[in-house]
Amino acid sequence: MSVLVDEDTRVVVQGITGGEGEFHAGQMIEYGTNVVAGAVPGRGGEEVHGVPVYDTVSGAAEAEDADASVVLVPPAFAADALFEALDSPVDLVVAITEGIPTQDMSRVKKRLGETDKHLVGPNCPGVITPGEAKLGILPGNIFSSGNVGLISRSGTLTYQVVDNLTDRGLGQTTAIGIGGDPIIGTDFVEALSLFEEDPATEAVVMCGEIGGSDEEEAARYIDENMSTPVAGFIAGRTAPAGKRMGHAGAIVSGSGAGTAESKIEALSDAGVPVGDTPEEVADNVEELL
Amino acid sequence: MRLHEYQAKEVFAEAGMPTPDATLAESTDEVCEAADAIGYPVAVKAQVHVGGRGKAGGIELAENEEEAREAADSILGMDLKGYTVESVLVEQAVDFVDELYVGVTMDRGAGKPVAMVSSEGGVDIESVAEENPEAIAREHIDPAFGMHHYQARRAVYDAGVDREVASDVAGVLSTLFDLWENRDASEAEINPLMITGEGEVVAADAVMNIDDDALFRQPDLAEMEQEAAGDDLEAKANEYGFDYVRLDGNVGIIGNGAGLVMTTLDLVDYYGGEPANFLDIGGGAKAERVANALDMVFSDENVDSVVFNLFGGITRGDEVARGINSAIEEFDDLPKPVVVRLAGTNAEEGMEILNADALDVEQTLEGAVQKAVEQAGGAQ
């Protein structure tokens, strides 16, 4: 079992004729993902990697019976692409694009709330169910199939932690990179609830970082609603207050909110062991299982 | 991108916001000329991106030319929290009876803009928010629709603003929201918004931060002059386009992806070392960018060793290895020990071409960090 994506997921790639779109569509197909169409305005009728391209997402989804979309569209056009996907028949939208203006995402988030669809990202590596499908840019070869769910705000940290897990033979049901932007679609709480409902997921790893209060809210949710055990990791313990560390979200206000300490404390209080190193996270998962 | 006060006020004035008469000046004579044209008293205000300018001596009132000259002499060229003051705003001093705060920002938790009004203006609004949150009236705004005018009125009445000026203050808040939205700001603030004895409202300060990701559609703002960072290395990082933060330690840290680089910093600390910096080369970096990153970190004299931690997803290990090799060639001999760890996309290809003789190569993140800490002189 898995969450969000599996071998039956039928994927449209928005932006498939662009450099990133073409490369990663190829990688997804090579991994075994069921990429059934591309969508690029004005490029309908073409083919990329043997996949038909349509002018609109709705056209692609209707013709090819697609149920998911991966957005690899440049930031200036990405919000529009997300609105288009949300107004099409697909149920899952995975937004890889980095650098979408925050106000645009605020409007997208509002639209998302009026639907019952899932939006993962933006500024994320995507979603992978090892051995079945990957939607995004994650390097497929480091993942292995198993019983651990993974949620992370950072792409490369996802890879690092998965590497530590896979090394121990701890395979994954699904890994979800939720993205590091201030406004994202699927957050920790939603992702945790998906894993809670998945019978194959026997433990969950959540990798958070400084900034915002999503981890604190996740801790509350875990305390009140999760029977599946959760292991945690928080990046940015050494980050100085007031400095922005790459991710838009990773800035510490200096007032105590959003710091690594407050997140680690909230998670610990909810019974979540928080590792000091990715290696320790793997230790903790072994114990939870 | 943060606008200077004078720049934000230009943007405000264009939108019809009431702002005091003001002129930018770069020398004492220019200050006196400007003050003469505006009419005394004036405020002389340092134009640097530093909070708490007043307390730090960056704002002075002048009643006459002698005082204007003194103020200009003391502020121009002064070091304000690491920034050299190169220009001042000479501004008509507002004779006020009350000071308010109005602001608009993105509430990331709610995913919506929030407009705020407080009758406790003129002070550090963060401490008001912490100690007396009820003193700030808040309105969440529908991002697809924008602010209804009743919301501006409600915020103003909820904040207990004097009824005589409530309508004008609501007008200011509406204008501020429109500016925030139309100019892709992340924050727009007026603190203080002054109320004069005649019942006029005047934006006596202006803060505007623009979303860097939206600068492509704000070309006039993108062109505004940016102050060089206070730190030479941070200025260099800006030129190279790196996400870089300078820290106090001696272990230089380079990696790809904010989360992984932060984790590498944390591990350096965990193993008893002290991080010298945060440097994220970003996604999909090519060889030249990698060499630039090494050059950056080598030019920090506090750095005794460097850990280069790459986990390739979109970034390719062979590209990174080529970048490291070209840095090795350029520097002839590496000026400081470098520990490299390559994993992920094309890591094997990278390991094959990497000039490993000049470096320490480690297989794991933990191993690489421990080695770099050791190379920098061991655990502190």
Side-chain angles (χ1 to χ4, degrees), chain B residues 104-125:
Chain B
V104 180
T105 189
M106 184 66 79
D107 179 342
R108 56 178 288 169
K112 289 176 184 174
V114 59
M116 295 168 287
V117 179
S118 175
S119 50
E120 294 188 22
V123 292
D124 177 14
I125 197 72

Side-chain angles (χ1 to χ4, degrees), chain B residues 34-309:
Chain B
D36 200 43
I38 291 165
Y40 291 98
V42 294
V44 180
K45 306 162 89 176
Q47 297 298 292
V48 283
H49 294 313
V50 165
R53 280 176 305 173
K55 276 186 205 152
I59 301 178
E60 303 258 8
L61 274 176
E63 300 279 354
N64 50 50
E65 187 174 337
E66 193 187 343
E67 288 181 13
R69 197 162 284 281
E70 275 173 30
D73 286 344
S74 74
I75 296 173
L76 280 167
M78 83 184 288
D79 180 280
L80 211 60
K81 300 184 185 175
Y83 293 85
T84 306
V85 180
E86 279 164 5
S87 63
V88 292
L89 192 61
V90 183
E91 188 173 83
Q92 174 195 3
V94 180
D95 190 14
F96 62 93
V97 292
D98 206 358
E99 295 179 298
L100 309 177
Y101 165 88
V102 294
V104 180
T105 189
M106 184 66 79
D107 179 342
R108 56 178 288 169
K112 289 176 184 174
V114 59
M116 295 168 287
V117 179
S118 175
S119 50
E120 294 188 22
V123 292
D124 177 14
I125 197 72
E126 281 80 11
S127 41
V128 175
E130 231 166 81
E131 289 153 24
N132 190 12
E134 303 80 51
I136 303 175
R138 293 176 176 81
E139 285 283 334
H140 278 103
I141 311 298
D142 180 334
F145 187 88
M147 183 158 69
H148 298 281
H149 196 64
Y150 84 83
Q151 292 185 289
R153 288 198 306 271
R154 186 162 68 186
V156 167
Y157 287 119
D158 284 353
V161 171
D162 192 336
R163 309 189 70 83
E164 299 286 308
V165 294
S167 171
D168 287 347
V169 176
V172 164
L173 183 57
S174 285
T175 305
L176 190 68
F177 179 82
D178 290 346
L179 273 170
W180 179 88
E181 189 176 48
N182 297 335
R183 306 314 305 251
D184 275 303
S186 46
E187 281 98 25
E189 275 186 336
I190 304 171
N191 189 26
L193 179 70
M194 286 178 174
I195 312 296
T196 69
E198 291 77 46
E200 284 172 2
V201 294
V202 182
D205 193 14
V207 169
M208 214 167 167
N209 293 336
I210 309 299
D211 181 355
D212 290 323
D213 288 335
L215 283 176
F216 68 86
R217 59 188 179 204
Q218 302 291 344
D220 56 328
L221 300 183
E223 268 178 25
M224 284 186 173
E225 191 189 343
Q226 278 294 287
E227 185 169 34
D231 182 297
D232 284 350
L233 282 169
E234 292 190 355
K236 194 168 180 176
N238 277 345
E239 256 170 54
Y240 282 141
F242 290 128
D243 273 323
Y244 173 86
V245 179
R246 190 177 187 179
L247 302 165
D248 299 330
N250 64 343
V251 180
I253 294 155
I254 305 172
N256 65 321
L260 184 63
V261 182
M262 278 194 281
T263 300
T264 313
L265 259 71
D266 294 348
L267 284 193
V268 166
D269 178 70
Y270 178 77
Y271 287 116
E274 289 177 13
N277 67 276
F278 166 102
L279 197 166
D280 179 5
I281 59 170
K286 299 288 184 223
E288 188 190 352
R289 195 165 168 77
V290 170
N292 288 345
L294 278 167
D295 175 49
M296 271 272 337
V297 176
F298 288 151
S299 53
D300 180 348
E301 56 190 26
N302 295 327
V303 167
D304 291 325
S305 74
V306 180
V307 55
F308 202 121
N309 179 35

Side-chain angles (χ1 to χ4, degrees), chain A residues 218-220 222-224 265-272:
Chain A
R220 246 192 318 276
I222 291 166
D223 197 33
E224 288 165 13
E265 194 186 319
L267 287 169
S268 303
D269 288 350
V272 175

Side-chain angles (χ1 to χ4, degrees), chain A residues 191-207:
Chain A
L192 285 165
S193 72
L194 294 171
F195 282 123
E196 173 70 8
E197 286 159 21
D198 175 36
T201 300
E202 290 171 24
V204 180
V205 175
M206 63 170 272
C207 298

Side-chain angles (χ1 to χ4, degrees), chain A residues 161-191:
Chain A
V161 171
V162 163
D163 204 41
N164 290 73
L165 293 173
T166 298
D167 245 20
R168 309 275 186 97
L170 299 167
Q172 304 91 45
T173 46
T174 299
I176 310 173
I178 60 173
D181 277 0
I183 298 179
I184 54 174
T186 296
D187 57 9
F188 281 121
V189 169
E190 186 188 340

Side-chain angles (χ1 to χ4, degrees), chain A residues 27 30-31 128 130-131 134 137-145 159 162-163 166 172, chain B residues 311-313 343-349:
Chain A
Q27 297 281 305
E30 200 175 298
Y31 192 73
I128 185 168
K134 74 159 180 164
I137 59 174
L138 314 105
N141 61 318
I142 60 170
F143 293 85
S144 61
S145 184
Y159 311 158
V162 163
D163 204 41
T166 298
Q172 304 91 45
Chain B
F311 210 122
T345 308
N346 289 9
E348 280 168 30
E349 291 86 337

